[in-house]
PDB file of all heavy atoms in Angstrom:
ATOM      1  N   THR Y   1     124.330 109.985  -9.278  1.00 90.00           N
ATOM      2  CA  THR Y   1     123.404 109.723  -8.205  1.00 90.00           C
ATOM      3  C   THR Y   1     123.212 108.212  -7.928  1.00 90.00           C
ATOM      4  O   THR Y   1     123.227 107.801  -6.795  1.00 90.00           O
ATOM      5  CB  THR Y   1     121.977 110.309  -8.559  1.00 90.00           C
ATOM      6  OG1 THR Y   1     122.108 111.704  -8.764  1.00 90.00           O
ATOM      7  CG2 THR Y   1     120.969 110.063  -7.435  1.00 90.00           C
ATOM      8  N   HIS Y   2     123.185 107.426  -9.006  1.00 93.00           N
ATOM      9  CA  HIS Y   2     123.043 105.968  -8.887  1.00 93.00           C
ATOM     10  C   HIS Y   2     124.213 105.345  -8.189  1.00 93.00           C
ATOM     11  O   HIS Y   2     124.044 104.453  -7.336  1.00 93.00           O
ATOM     12  CB  HIS Y   2     122.874 105.326 -10.284  1.00 93.00           C
ATOM     13  CG  HIS Y   2     123.183 103.835 -10.284  1.00 93.00           C
ATOM     14  ND1 HIS Y   2     122.246 102.912  -9.853  1.00 93.00           N
ATOM     15  CD2 HIS Y   2     124.283 103.171 -10.632  1.00 93.00           C
ATOM     16  CE1 HIS Y   2     122.793 101.713  -9.942  1.00 93.00           C
ATOM     17  NE2 HIS Y   2     124.045 101.803 -10.430  1.00 93.00           N
ATOM     18  N   GLU Y   3     125.454 105.788  -8.483  1.00 92.00           N
ATOM     19  CA  GLU Y   3     126.622 105.261  -7.898  1.00 92.00           C
ATOM     20  C   GLU Y   3     126.678 105.328  -6.375  1.00 92.00           C
ATOM     21  O   GLU Y   3     127.369 104.541  -5.715  1.00 92.00           O
ATOM     22  CB  GLU Y   3     127.898 105.929  -8.515  1.00 92.00           C
ATOM     23  CG  GLU Y   3     128.193 105.475  -9.918  1.00 92.00           C
ATOM     24  CD  GLU Y   3     129.362 106.213 -10.575  1.00 92.00           C
ATOM     25  OE1 GLU Y   3     129.589 107.401 -10.180  1.00 92.00           O
ATOM     26  OE2 GLU Y   3     130.038 105.621 -11.370  1.00 92.00           O
ATOM     27  N   ARG Y   4     125.915 106.256  -5.825  1.00 91.00           N
ATOM     28  CA  ARG Y   4     125.828 106.384  -4.361  1.00 91.00           C
ATOM     29  C   ARG Y   4     125.146 105.213  -3.713  1.00 91.00           C
ATOM     30  O   ARG Y   4     125.318 104.964  -2.532  1.00 91.00           O
ATOM     31  CB  ARG Y   4     125.160 107.716  -4.026  1.00 91.00           C
ATOM     32  CG  ARG Y   4     125.981 108.924  -4.401  1.00 91.00           C
ATOM     33  CD  ARG Y   4     125.197 110.223  -4.119  1.00 91.00           C
ATOM     34  NE  ARG Y   4     125.931 111.349  -4.688  1.00 91.00           N
ATOM     35  CZ  ARG Y   4     125.358 112.424  -5.191  1.00 91.00           C
ATOM     36  NH1 ARG Y   4     124.060 112.546  -5.201  1.00 91.00           N
ATOM     37  NH2 ARG Y   4     126.125 113.356  -5.677  1.00 91.00           N
ATOM     38  N   THR Y   5     124.377 104.404  -4.482  1.00 91.00           N
ATOM     39  CA  THR Y   5     123.752 103.234  -3.957  1.00 91.00           C
ATOM     40  C   THR Y   5     124.810 102.188  -3.652  1.00 91.00           C
ATOM     41  O   THR Y   5     124.614 101.288  -2.809  1.00 91.00           O
ATOM     42  CB  THR Y   5     122.689 102.648  -4.887  1.00 91.00           C
ATOM     43  OG1 THR Y   5     123.306 102.294  -6.151  1.00 91.00           O
ATOM     44  CG2 THR Y   5     121.589 103.663  -5.191  1.00 91.00           C
ATOM     45  N   HIS Y   6     125.921 102.245  -4.398  1.00 92.00           N
ATOM     46  CA  HIS Y   6     127.035 101.314  -4.143  1.00 92.00           C
ATOM     47  C   HIS Y   6     128.023 101.840  -3.102  1.00 92.00           C
ATOM     48  O   HIS Y   6     128.502 101.047  -2.239  1.00 92.00           O
ATOM     49  CB  HIS Y   6     127.782 101.069  -5.443  1.00 92.00           C
ATOM     50  CG  HIS Y   6     126.953 100.480  -6.533  1.00 92.00           C
ATOM     51  ND1 HIS Y   6     126.327  99.245  -6.443  1.00 92.00           N
ATOM     52  CD2 HIS Y   6     126.621 100.958  -7.789  1.00 92.00           C
ATOM     53  CE1 HIS Y   6     125.649  99.001  -7.559  1.00 92.00           C
ATOM     54  NE2 HIS Y   6     125.823 100.029  -8.368  1.00 92.00           N
ATOM     55  N   THR Y   7     128.339 103.110  -3.152  1.00 91.00           N
ATOM     56  CA  THR Y   7     129.315 103.691  -2.238  1.00 91.00           C
ATOM     57  C   THR Y   7     128.759 104.089  -0.881  1.00 91.00           C
ATOM     58  O   THR Y   7     129.495 104.124   0.101  1.00 91.00           O
ATOM     59  CB  THR Y   7     129.947 104.952  -2.844  1.00 91.00           C
ATOM     60  OG1 THR Y   7     128.925 105.949  -2.992  1.00 91.00           O
ATOM     61  CG2 THR Y   7     130.583 104.646  -4.196  1.00 91.00           C
ATOM     62  N   GLY Y   8     127.451 104.233  -0.862  1.00 90.00           N
ATOM     63  CA  GLY Y   8     126.808 104.678   0.422  1.00 90.00           C
ATOM     64  C   GLY Y   8     127.053 106.192   0.668  1.00 90.00           C
ATOM     65  O   GLY Y   8     126.716 106.639   1.822  1.00 90.00           O
ATOM     66  N   GLU Y   9     127.621 106.900  -0.266  1.00 91.00           N
ATOM     67  CA  GLU Y   9     127.898 108.304  -0.068  1.00 91.00           C
ATOM     68  C   GLU Y   9     126.624 109.125   0.075  1.00 91.00           C
ATOM     69  O   GLU Y   9     125.683 108.961  -0.701  1.00 91.00           O
ATOM     70  CB  GLU Y   9     128.736 108.792  -1.239  1.00 91.00           C
ATOM     71  CG  GLU Y   9     129.134 110.293  -1.127  1.00 91.00           C
ATOM     72  CD  GLU Y   9     129.825 110.796  -2.387  1.00 91.00           C
ATOM     73  OE1 GLU Y   9     129.991 110.001  -3.356  1.00 91.00           O
ATOM     74  OE2 GLU Y   9     130.177 111.991  -2.449  1.00 91.00           O
ATOM     75  N   LYS Y  10     126.588 110.030   1.046  1.00 90.00           N
ATOM     76  CA  LYS Y  10     125.487 110.902   1.298  1.00 90.00           C
ATOM     77  C   LYS Y  10     125.996 112.323   1.459  1.00 90.00           C
ATOM     78  O   LYS Y  10     126.194 112.779   2.623  1.00 90.00           O
ATOM     79  CB  LYS Y  10     124.663 110.419   2.506  1.00 90.00           C
ATOM     80  CG  LYS Y  10     123.999 109.085   2.332  1.00 90.00           C
ATOM     81  CD  LYS Y  10     123.200 108.634   3.541  1.00 90.00           C
ATOM     82  CE  LYS Y  10     122.508 107.301   3.304  1.00 90.00           C
ATOM     83  NZ  LYS Y  10     121.721 106.871   4.501  1.00 90.00           N
ATOM     84  N   PRO Y  11     126.182 113.033   0.355  1.00 89.00           N
ATOM     85  CA  PRO Y  11     126.869 114.339   0.455  1.00 89.00           C
ATOM     86  C   PRO Y  11     126.010 115.507   0.927  1.00 89.00           C
ATOM     87  O   PRO Y  11     126.539 116.582   1.171  1.00 89.00           O
ATOM     88  CB  PRO Y  11     127.318 114.587  -1.012  1.00 89.00           C
ATOM     89  CG  PRO Y  11     126.360 113.802  -1.830  1.00 89.00           C
ATOM     90  CD  PRO Y  11     125.985 112.646  -1.010  1.00 89.00           C
ATOM     91  N   TYR Y  12     124.660 115.291   1.027  1.00 90.00           N
ATOM     92  CA  TYR Y  12     123.803 116.390   1.391  1.00 90.00           C
ATOM     93  C   TYR Y  12     123.334 116.216   2.856  1.00 90.00           C
ATOM     94  O   TYR Y  12     122.593 115.284   3.161  1.00 90.00           O
ATOM     95  CB  TYR Y  12     122.602 116.447   0.467  1.00 90.00           C
ATOM     96  CG  TYR Y  12     122.959 116.547  -0.972  1.00 90.00           C
ATOM     97  CD1 TYR Y  12     122.926 115.424  -1.842  1.00 90.00           C
ATOM     98  CD2 TYR Y  12     123.469 117.748  -1.538  1.00 90.00           C
ATOM     99  CE1 TYR Y  12     123.281 115.476  -3.134  1.00 90.00           C
ATOM    100  CE2 TYR Y  12     123.839 117.850  -2.840  1.00 90.00           C
ATOM    101  CZ  TYR Y  12     123.755 116.729  -3.658  1.00 90.00           C
ATOM    102  OH  TYR Y  12     124.157 116.814  -4.985  1.00 90.00           O
ATOM    103  N   SER Y  13     123.751 117.144   3.740  1.00 91.00           N
ATOM    104  CA  SER Y  13     123.431 117.029   5.141  1.00 91.00           C
ATOM    105  C   SER Y  13     122.537 118.199   5.579  1.00 91.00           C
ATOM    106  O   SER Y  13     122.695 119.323   5.140  1.00 91.00           O
ATOM    107  CB  SER Y  13     124.729 117.002   6.004  1.00 91.00           C
ATOM    108  OG  SER Y  13     125.486 118.145   5.811  1.00 91.00           O
ATOM    109  N   CYS Y  14     121.676 117.899   6.566  1.00 91.00           N
ATOM    110  CA  CYS Y  14     120.744 118.878   7.118  1.00 91.00           C
ATOM    111  C   CYS Y  14     121.450 119.748   8.086  1.00 91.00           C
ATOM    112  O   CYS Y  14     122.030 119.197   9.105  1.00 91.00           O
ATOM    113  CB  CYS Y  14     119.545 118.149   7.726  1.00 91.00           C
ATOM    114  SG  CYS Y  14     118.415 119.278   8.528  1.00 91.00           S
ATOM    115  N   SER Y  15     121.415 121.031   7.947  1.00 90.00           N
ATOM    116  CA  SER Y  15     122.068 121.953   8.869  1.00 90.00           C
ATOM    117  C   SER Y  15     121.378 121.986  10.228  1.00 90.00           C
ATOM    118  O   SER Y  15     121.989 122.428  11.205  1.00 90.00           O
ATOM    119  CB  SER Y  15     122.134 123.344   8.252  1.00 90.00           C
ATOM    120  OG  SER Y  15     120.801 123.809   7.993  1.00 90.00           O
ATOM    121  N   GLU Y  16     120.194 121.488  10.258  1.00 88.00           N
ATOM    122  CA  GLU Y  16     119.410 121.552  11.510  1.00 88.00           C
ATOM    123  C   GLU Y  16     119.736 120.337  12.463  1.00 88.00           C
ATOM    124  O   GLU Y  16     119.914 120.493  13.608  1.00 88.00           O
ATOM    125  CB  GLU Y  16     117.906 121.581  11.171  1.00 88.00           C
ATOM    126  CG  GLU Y  16     117.021 121.876  12.382  1.00 88.00           C
ATOM    127  CD  GLU Y  16     117.073 123.328  12.865  1.00 88.00           C
ATOM    128  OE1 GLU Y  16     117.347 124.193  12.028  1.00 88.00           O
ATOM    129  OE2 GLU Y  16     116.853 123.532  14.024  1.00 88.00           O
ATOM    130  N   CYS Y  17     119.705 119.148  11.857  1.00 92.00           N
ATOM    131  CA  CYS Y  17     119.833 117.936  12.672  1.00 92.00           C
ATOM    132  C   CYS Y  17     121.059 117.040  12.235  1.00 92.00           C
ATOM    133  O   CYS Y  17     121.359 116.065  12.922  1.00 92.00           O
ATOM    134  CB  CYS Y  17     118.604 117.106  12.637  1.00 92.00           C
ATOM    135  SG  CYS Y  17     118.198 116.361  11.029  1.00 92.00           S
ATOM    136  N   GLY Y  18     121.712 117.367  11.115  1.00 89.00           N
ATOM    137  CA  GLY Y  18     122.888 116.625  10.699  1.00 89.00           C
ATOM    138  C   GLY Y  18     122.590 115.359   9.859  1.00 89.00           C
ATOM    139  O   GLY Y  18     123.482 114.698   9.421  1.00 89.00           O
ATOM    140  N   LYS Y  19     121.288 115.042   9.647  1.00 92.00           N
ATOM    141  CA  LYS Y  19     120.962 113.848   8.896  1.00 92.00           C
ATOM    142  C   LYS Y  19     121.444 114.040   7.462  1.00 92.00           C
ATOM    143  O   LYS Y  19     121.358 115.131   6.889  1.00 92.00           O
ATOM    144  CB  LYS Y  19     119.462 113.611   8.929  1.00 92.00           C
ATOM    145  CG  LYS Y  19     119.036 112.236   8.389  1.00 92.00           C
ATOM    146  CD  LYS Y  19     117.540 111.987   8.659  1.00 92.00           C
ATOM    147  CE  LYS Y  19     117.183 110.602   8.200  1.00 92.00           C
ATOM    148  NZ  LYS Y  19     115.707 110.301   8.368  1.00 92.00           N
ATOM    149  N   CYS Y  20     121.983 112.945   6.873  1.00 92.00           N
ATOM    150  CA  CYS Y  20     122.540 113.050   5.493  1.00 92.00           C
ATOM    151  C   CYS Y  20     121.737 112.297   4.464  1.00 92.00           C
ATOM    152  O   CYS Y  20     121.056 111.299   4.773  1.00 92.00           O
ATOM    153  CB  CYS Y  20     123.960 112.491   5.535  1.00 92.00           C
ATOM    154  SG  CYS Y  20     125.128 113.413   6.544  1.00 92.00           S
ATOM    155  N   PHE Y  21     121.841 112.763   3.226  1.00 92.00           N
ATOM    156  CA  PHE Y  21     121.027 112.205   2.149  1.00 92.00           C
ATOM    157  C   PHE Y  21     121.901 112.056   0.866  1.00 92.00           C
ATOM    158  O   PHE Y  21     122.823 112.816   0.636  1.00 92.00           O
ATOM    159  CB  PHE Y  21     119.846 113.086   1.846  1.00 92.00           C
ATOM    160  CG  PHE Y  21     118.908 113.256   3.040  1.00 92.00           C
ATOM    161  CD1 PHE Y  21     119.162 114.242   3.970  1.00 92.00           C
ATOM    162  CD2 PHE Y  21     117.833 112.415   3.193  1.00 92.00           C
ATOM    163  CE1 PHE Y  21     118.342 114.412   5.086  1.00 92.00           C
ATOM    164  CE2 PHE Y  21     117.014 112.587   4.288  1.00 92.00           C
ATOM    165  CZ  PHE Y  21     117.287 113.554   5.214  1.00 92.00           C
ATOM    166  N   ALA Y  22     121.525 111.032   0.067  1.00 89.00           N
ATOM    167  CA  ALA Y  22     122.255 110.814  -1.191  1.00 89.00           C
ATOM    168  C   ALA Y  22     121.734 111.743  -2.267  1.00 89.00           C
ATOM    169  O   ALA Y  22     122.463 112.084  -3.189  1.00 89.00           O
ATOM    170  CB  ALA Y  22     122.048 109.355  -1.634  1.00 89.00           C
ATOM    171  N   HIS Y  23     120.465 112.221  -2.162  1.00 89.00           N
ATOM    172  CA  HIS Y  23     119.881 113.069  -3.176  1.00 89.00           C
ATOM    173  C   HIS Y  23     119.559 114.413  -2.560  1.00 89.00           C
ATOM    174  O   HIS Y  23     118.978 114.491  -1.453  1.00 89.00           O
ATOM    175  CB  HIS Y  23     118.633 112.404  -3.752  1.00 89.00           C
ATOM    176  CG  HIS Y  23     118.774 111.027  -4.217  1.00 89.00           C
ATOM    177  ND1 HIS Y  23     119.480 110.688  -5.354  1.00 89.00           N
ATOM    178  CD2 HIS Y  23     118.391 109.888  -3.650  1.00 89.00           C
ATOM    179  CE1 HIS Y  23     119.461 109.397  -5.487  1.00 89.00           C
ATOM    180  NE2 HIS Y  23     118.839 108.838  -4.467  1.00 89.00           N
ATOM    181  N   LYS Y  24     119.839 115.487  -3.311  1.00 90.00           N
ATOM    182  CA  LYS Y  24     119.543 116.837  -2.834  1.00 90.00           C
ATOM    183  C   LYS Y  24     118.049 117.008  -2.630  1.00 90.00           C
ATOM    184  O   LYS Y  24     117.600 117.696  -1.694  1.00 90.00           O
ATOM    185  CB  LYS Y  24     120.080 117.863  -3.826  1.00 90.00           C
ATOM    186  CG  LYS Y  24     120.008 119.305  -3.235  1.00 90.00           C
ATOM    187  CD  LYS Y  24     120.658 120.292  -4.135  1.00 90.00           C
ATOM    188  CE  LYS Y  24     120.631 121.677  -3.512  1.00 90.00           C
ATOM    189  NZ  LYS Y  24     121.305 122.679  -4.375  1.00 90.00           N
ATOM    190  N   SER Y  25     117.201 116.443  -3.519  1.00 89.00           N
ATOM    191  CA  SER Y  25     115.774 116.608  -3.399  1.00 89.00           C
ATOM    192  C   SER Y  25     115.258 115.969  -2.145  1.00 89.00           C
ATOM    193  O   SER Y  25     114.272 116.537  -1.515  1.00 89.00           O
ATOM    194  CB  SER Y  25     115.086 115.907  -4.612  1.00 89.00           C
ATOM    195  OG  SER Y  25     115.421 114.541  -4.667  1.00 89.00           O
ATOM    196  N   HIS Y  26     115.896 114.906  -1.623  1.00 91.00           N
ATOM    197  CA  HIS Y  26     115.497 114.257  -0.402  1.00 91.00           C
ATOM    198  C   HIS Y  26     115.781 115.176   0.780  1.00 91.00           C
ATOM    199  O   HIS Y  26     115.050 115.191   1.774  1.00 91.00           O
ATOM    200  CB  HIS Y  26     116.183 112.896  -0.208  1.00 91.00           C
ATOM    201  CG  HIS Y  26     115.694 111.849  -1.234  1.00 91.00           C
ATOM    202  ND1 HIS Y  26     116.287 110.605  -1.345  1.00 91.00           N
ATOM    203  CD2 HIS Y  26     114.760 111.910  -2.175  1.00 91.00           C
ATOM    204  CE1 HIS Y  26     115.701 109.967  -2.323  1.00 91.00           C
ATOM    205  NE2 HIS Y  26     114.759 110.722  -2.841  1.00 91.00           N
ATOM    206  N   LEU Y  27     116.907 115.866   0.689  1.00 93.00           N
ATOM    207  CA  LEU Y  27     117.325 116.819   1.753  1.00 93.00           C
ATOM    208  C   LEU Y  27     116.313 117.995   1.800  1.00 93.00           C
ATOM    209  O   LEU Y  27     115.865 118.350   2.895  1.00 93.00           O
ATOM    210  CB  LEU Y  27     118.720 117.371   1.477  1.00 93.00           C
ATOM    211  CG  LEU Y  27     119.113 118.596   2.354  1.00 93.00           C
ATOM    212  CD1 LEU Y  27     119.137 118.206   3.863  1.00 93.00           C
ATOM    213  CD2 LEU Y  27     120.465 119.119   1.917  1.00 93.00           C
ATOM    214  N   VAL Y  28     115.965 118.507   0.614  1.00 92.00           N
ATOM    215  CA  VAL Y  28     114.980 119.594   0.544  1.00 92.00           C
ATOM    216  C   VAL Y  28     113.659 119.236   1.176  1.00 92.00           C
ATOM    217  O   VAL Y  28     113.075 119.982   1.944  1.00 92.00           O
ATOM    218  CB  VAL Y  28     114.773 120.061  -0.892  1.00 92.00           C
ATOM    219  CG1 VAL Y  28     113.622 121.066  -1.024  1.00 92.00           C
ATOM    220  CG2 VAL Y  28     116.045 120.697  -1.507  1.00 92.00           C
ATOM    221  N   THR Y  29     113.151 118.002   0.876  1.00 92.00           N
ATOM    222  CA  THR Y  29     111.905 117.498   1.456  1.00 92.00           C
ATOM    223  C   THR Y  29     112.043 117.367   2.971  1.00 92.00           C
ATOM    224  O   THR Y  29     111.130 117.723   3.697  1.00 92.00           O
ATOM    225  CB  THR Y  29     111.554 116.146   0.794  1.00 92.00           C
ATOM    226  OG1 THR Y  29     111.392 116.329  -0.627  1.00 92.00           O
ATOM    227  CG2 THR Y  29     110.230 115.636   1.412  1.00 92.00           C
ATOM    228  N   HIS Y  30     113.200 116.790   3.400  1.00 93.00           N
ATOM    229  CA  HIS Y  30     113.390 116.578   4.826  1.00 93.00           C
ATOM    230  C   HIS Y  30     113.446 117.897   5.594  1.00 93.00           C
ATOM    231  O   HIS Y  30     112.867 117.968   6.724  1.00 93.00           O
ATOM    232  CB  HIS Y  30     114.739 115.839   5.022  1.00 93.00           C
ATOM    233  CG  HIS Y  30     115.238 115.920   6.451  1.00 93.00           C
ATOM    234  ND1 HIS Y  30     114.759 115.161   7.513  1.00 93.00           N
ATOM    235  CD2 HIS Y  30     116.198 116.777   7.019  1.00 93.00           C
ATOM    236  CE1 HIS Y  30     115.388 115.497   8.608  1.00 93.00           C
ATOM    237  NE2 HIS Y  30     116.214 116.440   8.384  1.00 93.00           N
ATOM    238  N   GLU Y  31     114.095 118.919   5.050  1.00 93.00           N
ATOM    239  CA  GLU Y  31     114.165 120.186   5.760  1.00 93.00           C
ATOM    240  C   GLU Y  31     112.817 120.811   6.074  1.00 93.00           C
ATOM    241  O   GLU Y  31     112.702 121.597   6.997  1.00 93.00           O
ATOM    242  CB  GLU Y  31     115.027 121.147   4.915  1.00 93.00           C
ATOM    243  CG  GLU Y  31     116.496 120.815   4.929  1.00 93.00           C
ATOM    244  CD  GLU Y  31     117.354 121.719   4.049  1.00 93.00           C
ATOM    245  OE1 GLU Y  31     116.811 122.202   3.002  1.00 93.00           O
ATOM    246  OE2 GLU Y  31     118.495 122.064   4.389  1.00 93.00           O
ATOM    247  N   ARG Y  32     111.817 120.405   5.300  1.00 92.00           N
ATOM    248  CA  ARG Y  32     110.459 120.915   5.551  1.00 92.00           C
ATOM    249  C   ARG Y  32     109.841 120.409   6.842  1.00 92.00           C
ATOM    250  O   ARG Y  32     108.931 120.995   7.399  1.00 92.00           O
ATOM    251  CB  ARG Y  32     109.537 120.581   4.378  1.00 92.00           C
ATOM    252  CG  ARG Y  32     109.879 121.411   3.124  1.00 92.00           C
ATOM    253  CD  ARG Y  32     109.096 120.905   1.933  1.00 92.00           C
ATOM    254  NE  ARG Y  32     109.616 121.590   0.716  1.00 92.00           N
ATOM    255  CZ  ARG Y  32     109.586 121.064  -0.490  1.00 92.00           C
ATOM    256  NH1 ARG Y  32     109.064 119.873  -0.731  1.00 92.00           N
ATOM    257  NH2 ARG Y  32     110.042 121.732  -1.530  1.00 92.00           N
ATOM    258  N   SER Y  33     110.483 119.307   7.381  1.00 91.00           N
ATOM    259  CA  SER Y  33     110.027 118.807   8.655  1.00 91.00           C
ATOM    260  C   SER Y  33     110.435 119.683   9.778  1.00 91.00           C
ATOM    261  O   SER Y  33     109.859 119.673  10.869  1.00 91.00           O
ATOM    262  CB  SER Y  33     110.576 117.368   8.911  1.00 91.00           C
ATOM    263  OG  SER Y  33     111.999 117.389   9.050  1.00 91.00           O
ATOM    264  N   HIS Y  34     111.489 120.540   9.525  1.00 93.00           N
ATOM    265  CA  HIS Y  34     111.929 121.506  10.499  1.00 93.00           C
ATOM    266  C   HIS Y  34     111.238 122.879  10.322  1.00 93.00           C
ATOM    267  O   HIS Y  34     110.901 123.531  11.300  1.00 93.00           O
ATOM    268  CB  HIS Y  34     113.467 121.710  10.381  1.00 93.00           C
ATOM    269  CG  HIS Y  34     114.267 120.424  10.650  1.00 93.00           C
ATOM    270  ND1 HIS Y  34     114.276 119.804  11.858  1.00 93.00           N
ATOM    271  CD2 HIS Y  34     115.092 119.764   9.863  1.00 93.00           C
ATOM    272  CE1 HIS Y  34     115.099 118.733  11.791  1.00 93.00           C
ATOM    273  NE2 HIS Y  34     115.596 118.675  10.587  1.00 93.00           N
ATOM    274  N   THR Y  35     111.068 123.266   9.071  1.00 92.00           N
ATOM    275  CA  THR Y  35     110.476 124.583   8.798  1.00 92.00           C
ATOM    276  C   THR Y  35     108.935 124.559   8.833  1.00 92.00           C
ATOM    277  O   THR Y  35     108.328 125.610   9.002  1.00 92.00           O
ATOM    278  CB  THR Y  35     110.906 125.084   7.430  1.00 92.00           C
ATOM    279  OG1 THR Y  35     110.428 124.193   6.415  1.00 92.00           O
ATOM    280  CG2 THR Y  35     112.467 125.174   7.342  1.00 92.00           C
ATOM    281  N   GLY Y  36     108.368 123.372   8.657  1.00 91.00           N
ATOM    282  CA  GLY Y  36     106.889 123.253   8.606  1.00 91.00           C
ATOM    283  C   GLY Y  36     106.297 123.695   7.240  1.00 91.00           C
ATOM    284  O   GLY Y  36     105.114 123.810   7.085  1.00 91.00           O
ATOM    285  N   GLU Y  37     107.227 123.946   6.285  1.00 92.00           N
ATOM    286  CA  GLU Y  37     106.755 124.412   4.947  1.00 92.00           C
ATOM    287  C   GLU Y  37     105.962 123.282   4.243  1.00 92.00           C
ATOM    288  O   GLU Y  37     106.387 122.156   4.214  1.00 92.00           O
ATOM    289  CB  GLU Y  37     108.005 124.839   4.133  1.00 92.00           C
ATOM    290  CG  GLU Y  37     107.604 125.340   2.713  1.00 92.00           C
ATOM    291  CD  GLU Y  37     108.805 125.482   1.837  1.00 92.00           C
ATOM    292  OE1 GLU Y  37     109.911 125.105   2.216  1.00 92.00           O
ATOM    293  OE2 GLU Y  37     108.627 126.013   0.685  1.00 92.00           O
ATOM    294  N   ARG Y  38     104.834 123.700   3.645  1.00 92.00           N
ATOM    295  CA  ARG Y  38     104.012 122.817   2.838  1.00 92.00           C
ATOM    296  C   ARG Y  38     103.674 123.515   1.543  1.00 92.00           C
ATOM    297  O   ARG Y  38     102.586 124.097   1.413  1.00 92.00           O
ATOM    298  CB  ARG Y  38     102.771 122.359   3.566  1.00 92.00           C
ATOM    299  CG  ARG Y  38     103.055 121.477   4.785  1.00 92.00           C
ATOM    300  CD  ARG Y  38     101.770 121.251   5.598  1.00 92.00           C
ATOM    301  NE  ARG Y  38     102.056 120.309   6.634  1.00 92.00           N
ATOM    302  CZ  ARG Y  38     101.686 119.006   6.596  1.00 92.00           C
ATOM    303  NH1 ARG Y  38     101.036 118.555   5.567  1.00 92.00           N
ATOM    304  NH2 ARG Y  38     101.969 118.183   7.625  1.00 92.00           N
ATOM    305  N   PRO Y  39     104.570 123.467   0.527  1.00 92.00           N
ATOM    306  CA  PRO Y  39     104.390 124.259  -0.681  1.00 92.00           C
ATOM    307  C   PRO Y  39     103.355 123.780  -1.669  1.00 92.00           C
ATOM    308  O   PRO Y  39     103.022 124.556  -2.587  1.00 92.00           O
ATOM    309  CB  PRO Y  39     105.814 124.243  -1.295  1.00 92.00           C
ATOM    310  CG  PRO Y  39     106.419 122.986  -0.853  1.00 92.00           C
ATOM    311  CD  PRO Y  39     105.853 122.699   0.529  1.00 92.00           C
ATOM    312  N   TYR Y  40     102.882 122.547  -1.532  1.00 93.00           N
ATOM    313  CA  TYR Y  40     101.957 121.985  -2.488  1.00 93.00           C
ATOM    314  C   TYR Y  40     100.547 121.933  -1.881  1.00 93.00           C
ATOM    315  O   TYR Y  40     100.305 121.158  -0.978  1.00 93.00           O
ATOM    316  CB  TYR Y  40     102.419 120.598  -2.950  1.00 93.00           C
ATOM    317  CG  TYR Y  40     103.799 120.593  -3.475  1.00 93.00           C
ATOM    318  CD1 TYR Y  40     104.891 120.132  -2.693  1.00 93.00           C
ATOM    319  CD2 TYR Y  40     104.100 121.118  -4.748  1.00 93.00           C
ATOM    320  CE1 TYR Y  40     106.169 120.130  -3.202  1.00 93.00           C
ATOM    321  CE2 TYR Y  40     105.384 121.155  -5.240  1.00 93.00           C
ATOM    322  CZ  TYR Y  40     106.443 120.667  -4.437  1.00 93.00           C
ATOM    323  OH  TYR Y  40     107.738 120.669  -4.905  1.00 93.00           O
TER     324      TYR Y  40
END
């Protein structure tokens, strides 16, 4: 995960808008902006 800060690699992309993320957890959080889910 750390090495992506050097390579700029963002392997996790949002199927809704195409935005990419370096961390899967960031993608999961982002996807809630589309679904409106608020689990906490």
Side-chain angles (χ1 to χ4, degrees):
T1 300
H2 162 79
E3 285 176 329
R4 292 175 189 146
T5 62
H6 300 299
T7 63
E9 183 186 0
K10 295 181 177 181
Y12 305 103
S13 62
C14 175
S15 58
E16 190 72 27
C17 67
K19 193 172 182 180
C20 296
F21 300 86
H23 310 287
K24 190 174 182 179
S25 60
H26 293 174
L27 169 61
V28 170
T29 300
H30 163 79
E31 286 177 327
R32 290 173 187 150
S33 66
H34 298 297
T35 63
E37 182 192 6
R38 292 173 173 257
Y40 305 103

